[in-house]
Amino acid sequence: MGTLAAVPPTPGPYGEPGAGRGERLLWRRRLRHDIRHELGTIIMLASAVVVAEDVGDTSRARVEQLLGETRWLDHLLRRLDEDDGPDEDDDRPLPCPERIRVDDLTTEVVTGMRLATPLEVCFTGGEAWAHMDPVALWRAVRNVLDNACRVAQRRVDVRVGADQGWVVIQVDDDGPGFGADGGGPQGRPESGHTPRRGGLASLGLGIVHDLISGYGGSLEIRTCEMGGARVRMRLPAAPPPDAAEPAADPLADDWRPHP
C-alpha cells in the first residue's frame, strides 16, 4: 500500500491561515479600502444632514460629533496603512509628536461621550499643550473615558490641567473602583483588585499605558473621592505656540543681493 503524502494547504483568498503573506496583505488592503469607502458614504450622508433646514440644533450637534468620530476612524485606518508595509515585522519608530492642545482634544472626546451615554460627564480644564501623536492621545483619552463610563453609576468627572511641567488628564468615576490601595505603579491593576468588567478595563488601560509611555508619559490609578477609580495620565508639558515661536519678522524676506 502506498504512503499517503501530505497535501500542502491551498492559500486562501481572505487572509486565512493557509494564505501567503502577500495575499494576506492584499486582503487587508482591500478590506480597509472597503471600510474607508463606507466611512466616506457616512460622511457624505451626515454632511447633508448637518446643513438640512429641517434638523434641530440638538440633532445637528449629534451629527457633527458623528462626523468627528468618522474622521478619527479614518486616521486609524491611515495608521494601519502606514504600518502594513513590506517591513511590517520590523520595529518601527513611534509617529513623530506634534504640539497639540490637550484640553481641546479631551473636550472633543468628552462631547462625543456625553451624546452617547445617559451618565453625567463633566469637564473642567484650562489651556494645556503637550508634544505627542494626536491619534495616540485620542486613543488614550477615549479608552480611559470609555472604561469610566462602562462602570460608573451616575457621574464621570474629567479634568485637564498643568502641574509642575506636566499636563495631567484625570478621569474620576463613581463606580466600584479598583480597590482600596489602587493599581500597580504603571497603572495596571494589581492581582485581587480587578474592576467590574475587568477584562475590558484591563485591556483598555494596557493600551493607554503603552500609548503614552512612548512619549514620556505615565499612567496612575487610585481611588477617588466619589468612591470609584481615578485614572490620571501625565504627559510632559509643551509651551504654547506663541511662547515657543518668536514673532515673525516682517522684513525677514526683504533682503536684496548686492551689488
Side-chain angles (χ1 to χ4, degrees), residues 13-14 23-36:
Y14 301 113
E23 290 183 340
R24 293 196 301 270
L25 287 175
L26 179 60
W27 176 77
R28 287 199 294 267
R29 287 169 182 165
R30 288 174 173 173
L31 182 60
R32 287 197 298 272
H33 172 272
D34 291 344
I35 294 173
R36 185 170 289 113

Side-chain angles (χ1 to χ4, degrees), residues 205-220:
L205 292 177
I207 293 172
V208 172
H209 173 265
D210 293 342
L211 286 169
I212 66 175
S213 63
Y215 294 92
S218 62
L219 184 65
E220 302 171 346

Side-chain angles (χ1 to χ4, degrees), residues 1-118:
M1 181 179 296
T3 303
L4 294 176
V7 178
T10 302
Y14 301 113
E16 294 147 353
R21 182 173 179 275
E23 290 183 340
R24 293 196 301 270
L25 287 175
L26 179 60
W27 176 77
R28 287 199 294 267
R29 287 169 182 165
R30 288 174 173 173
L31 182 60
R32 287 197 298 272
H33 172 272
D34 291 344
I35 294 173
R36 185 170 289 113
H37 180 271
E38 294 305 314
L39 283 176
T41 301
I42 294 172
I43 291 173
M44 290 176 60
L45 293 173
S47 298
V49 173
V50 165
V51 298
E53 296 181 355
D54 58 344
V55 176
D57 292 341
T58 301
S59 295
R60 182 171 287 106
R62 291 181 181 274
V63 175
E64 289 176 346
Q65 189 62 35
L66 176 63
L67 285 170
E69 295 292 323
T70 55
R71 293 188 187 101
W72 283 114
L73 287 175
D74 186 64
H75 287 318
L76 293 176
L77 283 173
R78 292 180 187 278
R79 188 59 50 78
L80 280 175
D81 287 337
E82 295 169 1
D83 290 344
D84 206 10
D87 57 344
E88 64 170 350
D89 295 329
D90 297 336
D91 292 334
R92 290 174 175 267
L94 291 171
C96 293
E98 303 175 21
R99 184 167 49 207
I100 54 178
R101 181 85 180 259
V102 177
D103 54 313
D104 283 353
L105 187 148
T106 305
T107 299
E108 181 180 349
V109 178
V110 169
T111 300
M113 193 60 66
R114 282 174 176 164
L115 297 174
T117 179

Side-chain angles (χ1 to χ4, degrees), residues 141-170:
V141 176
R142 184 63 180 267
N143 269 284
V144 172
L145 188 55
D146 184 65
N147 276 343
C149 288
R150 287 178 185 274
V151 301
Q153 301 297 324
R154 292 175 298 275
R155 180 185 176 102
V156 174
D157 287 346
V158 182
R159 301 174 184 270
V160 174
D163 179 27
Q164 298 181 353
W166 295 88
V167 172
V168 179
I169 309 168
Q170 180 174 293

Side-chain angles (χ1 to χ4, degrees), residues 165-188:
W166 295 88
V167 172
V168 179
I169 309 168
Q170 180 174 293
V171 179
D172 294 351
D173 66 70
D174 62 353
F178 287 99
D181 53 357
Q186 293 182 332
R188 302 177 186 271

